Amino acid sequence: MKKVVGEFKVEYLQVLDEKGNCDKNLMPKLSKKQIKDLYKAMILGRQFDNRALNLQRQGRIATYPSILGQEASQVGSAYAFDKSTWIFPSFREHAALILRGVPMEKLYLYYAGDERGNVSAKQKCFPTSVPVSTHNLHAVGFAWGNKIQKKKATVVTYFGDGGTSEGDFHESMNFAGVFNLPVIFICQNNQYAISIPREQQTASKTLAQKAIAYGFPGIQVDGNDIFAVYKATQEAMKHVKSGKGPYFIECVTYRLSHHTTADDWTRYRTKKEVDAWSKKDPVLRLKNYMLKNNFLTEKENKKILKDAEIKVEKAVKKFESVSTMKPEDMFQYMYKEMPWNLQEQLQDLKESLGEGE
Ligand SMILES: Cc1ncc(C[n+]2csc(CCOP(=O)(O)OP(=O)(O)O)c2C)c(N)n1
């Protein structure tokens, strides 16, 4: 006997095309004000990003990963979260965190190397995770813990296309499926893991289909279309909240900038490719839609840009007014009682700083 025991499909969702034309049948319910709020959040994210790049070049913050081009994937998804949502970010989700209420000065502080900038529990955001995909396990463990304690929490974890090649990613997906956990996996497929293109990352046709292997739905969306990302995340929220288990969203987007300020994209991709993706710019796309539909005028747009600039400058001032940590602070927060070897190192440090007894 030979029979088909499983057939699978992966859907792709786009609501707003590259010219800013909208498919009315697929359009999620959003008021004019909400659409404007989405636009403002993308502009603020972009302004924050641009300023961060300048600060890094001036030596005022350290290595920084840009979000340029990925604003719709971040704002569109975060806009669909609710009070029950906990976010487990990687290191490239600044616009989502800002929308969630994380103060921008904290993000600058973190990228200046100060761990006090990495604590945003009040906004239900876990710390930034630089080790690729490790936080997927934390997210799933956290969701499982909440389930055992019968606490209502939805959990979202963000990661990149490269992150899907890590064992941690697969273990977390498997666990989430087996334990039927309310976790939304959001993959920002920005086409590159540093210099490794998506095609060399996996032989799979889509990243969304990886969810099928673990027994839950996966959808691919145009990640530069804020309406599609919002709609998919809304559906994912409904799914996880109704007890149906995890959900996977692949946002197909593009990192327009370098991987980080320590990278140079001209070494591994062509200007032609970057220019082609620049035309799909998510911010420009929403702006065109709003202009076409008379939700926005060029004058209002200027004001939105100016307001974002003012907010960002205020955050820079706040960040730079924070007193620097003492060098010995790096020993303080790991253990309740400091082990002998750290005590020795602390003593050495104090002596080298001329503070020894
Ligand atoms: C476990 C681990 N391995 C390697 C690295 C070095 N590294 C930093 S970012 C990165 C690529 C990540 O690519 P992707 O997951 O696609 O996310 P993106 O940076 O494109 O947002 C690598 C390999 C790391 N931080 N952690």
Side-chain angles (χ1 to χ4, degrees), residues 91-92 130-132 160-163 166 190 192-194 259:
F91 46 82
R92 205 186 294 283
V130 173
V132 172
D161 39 302
E166 292 283 351
N190 66 6
Y192 285 89
I194 315 185
H259 168 71

Side-chain angles (χ1 to χ4, degrees), residues 259-277:
H259 168 71
T260 65
T261 45
D263 173 49
D264 173 7
W265 67 247
T266 63
R267 306 276 294 268
Y268 54 87
R269 55 190 199 185
T270 61
K271 186 168 178 304
K272 198 172 152 209
E273 180 186 302
V274 179
D275 286 347
W277 275 96

Side-chain angles (χ1 to χ4, degrees), residues 275-340:
D275 286 347
W277 275 96
S278 298
K279 295 201 180 97
K280 302 179 194 207
D281 182 334
V283 177
L284 198 60
R285 195 183 301 190
L286 185 60
K287 183 185 168 195
N288 285 341
Y289 167 82
M290 290 169 78
L291 287 173
K292 260 187 211 168
N293 289 279
N294 301 319
F295 290 5
L296 183 76
T297 61
E298 283 295 353
K299 196 175 156 202
E300 266 180 291
N301 190 49
K302 270 194 189 147
K303 182 163 175 348
I304 291 171
L305 292 173
K306 188 78 204 157
D307 288 348
E309 208 182 299
I310 292 168
K311 278 188 190 158
V312 166
E313 282 319 305
K314 269 192 191 157
V316 172
K317 278 217 173 88
K318 273 194 187 166
F319 143 61
E320 293 202 311
S321 67
V322 174
S323 56
T324 47
M325 291 179 86
K326 292 193 216 113
E328 49 268 42
D329 277 357
M330 68 177 140
F331 293 94
Q332 301 295 351
Y333 307 105
M334 184 66 85
Y335 298 100
K336 193 171 170 203
E337 279 165 37
M338 201 183 291
W340 64 269

